């Protein structure tokens, strides 16, 4: 029971981190995020908004969460707001805790990538990959979640992850 509780706490923390507001972007990242926001779908929740590819369809939402999937139903994103965000100073520890959980033991994780207020790290399990993210917005706001996809689609999916994260805004 304790492991289940810790998993849900960890998942909530991940979701909290994705809503980063103080992130720095390169001109290319700004352009990609702007194009996604203009041509994609936009989740407009109670606490945050986020753009995702136009071809993806919403599969679940509430005021704090969005889940969307591509037509293949293997490529999907989930993002959840939290008012108890993981702070950038704690990203490394979060990564260590997440990747050491027994429920993730079948994944081979890459090293974490910390870009200002955004943490991402990829795990591969056979033919499937999962890029987890946290976006820290402020001391009372963050979004965390993951993008799951077939390894065969990595070249298509991975370039849109950062633009999605860069569209996350606090309301």
């Amino acid at each position: 029971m304790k492991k289940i509780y810790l998993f849900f706490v960890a998942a909530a923390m991940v979701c909290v981190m994705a809503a980063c507001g103080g992130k720095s972007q390169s001109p290319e990242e700004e352009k990609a995020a702007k194009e996604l926001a203009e041509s994609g779908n936009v989740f407009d929740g109670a606490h945050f908004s986020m753009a995702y590819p136009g071809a993806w369809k919403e599969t679940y939402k509430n005021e704090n969460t969005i889940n969307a999937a591509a037509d293949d139903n293997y490529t999907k994103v989930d993002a959840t707001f939290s008012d108890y965000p993981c702070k950038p100073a704690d990203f490394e520890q979060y990564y260590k805790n997440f990747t050491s959980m027994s429920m993730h033991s079948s994944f081979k994780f890459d090293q974490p990538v910390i870009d200002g207020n955004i943490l991402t790290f990829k795990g591969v399990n056979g033919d499937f990959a999962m890029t987890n993210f946290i976006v820290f917005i402020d001391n009372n706001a963050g979004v965390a979640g993951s993008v799951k996809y077939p390894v065969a689609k990595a070249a298509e999916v991975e370039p849109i992850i950062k633009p999605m994260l860069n569209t996350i805004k606090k309301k």
Side-chain angles (χ1 to χ4, degrees), residues 60-132:
Y60 174 80
K61 76 174 180 180
N62 66 27
E63 63 184 23
N64 296 321
T65 301
I66 178 63
N67 295 351
D71 287 340
D72 67 5
N73 209 30
Y74 292 110
T75 306
K76 44 184 89 176
V77 63
D78 63 85
T80 302
F81 176 86
S82 173
D83 53 2
Y84 295 103
C86 181
K87 294 174 175 65
D90 299 324
F91 283 174
E92 287 282 344
Q93 188 60 49
Y94 177 85
Y95 167 80
K96 289 176 186 173
N97 292 346
F98 187 96
T99 58
S100 67
M101 295 174 79
S102 62
M103 66 188 308
H104 299 127
S105 64
S106 60
F107 282 86
K108 177 166 177 28
F109 288 99
D110 292 345
Q111 287 300 305
V113 176
I114 299 172
D115 184 5
N117 291 338
I118 299 175
L119 164 69
T120 57
F121 57 96
K122 176 182 173 181
V124 175
N125 181 358
D127 292 337
F128 292 94
M130 169 176 65
T131 297
N132 297 284

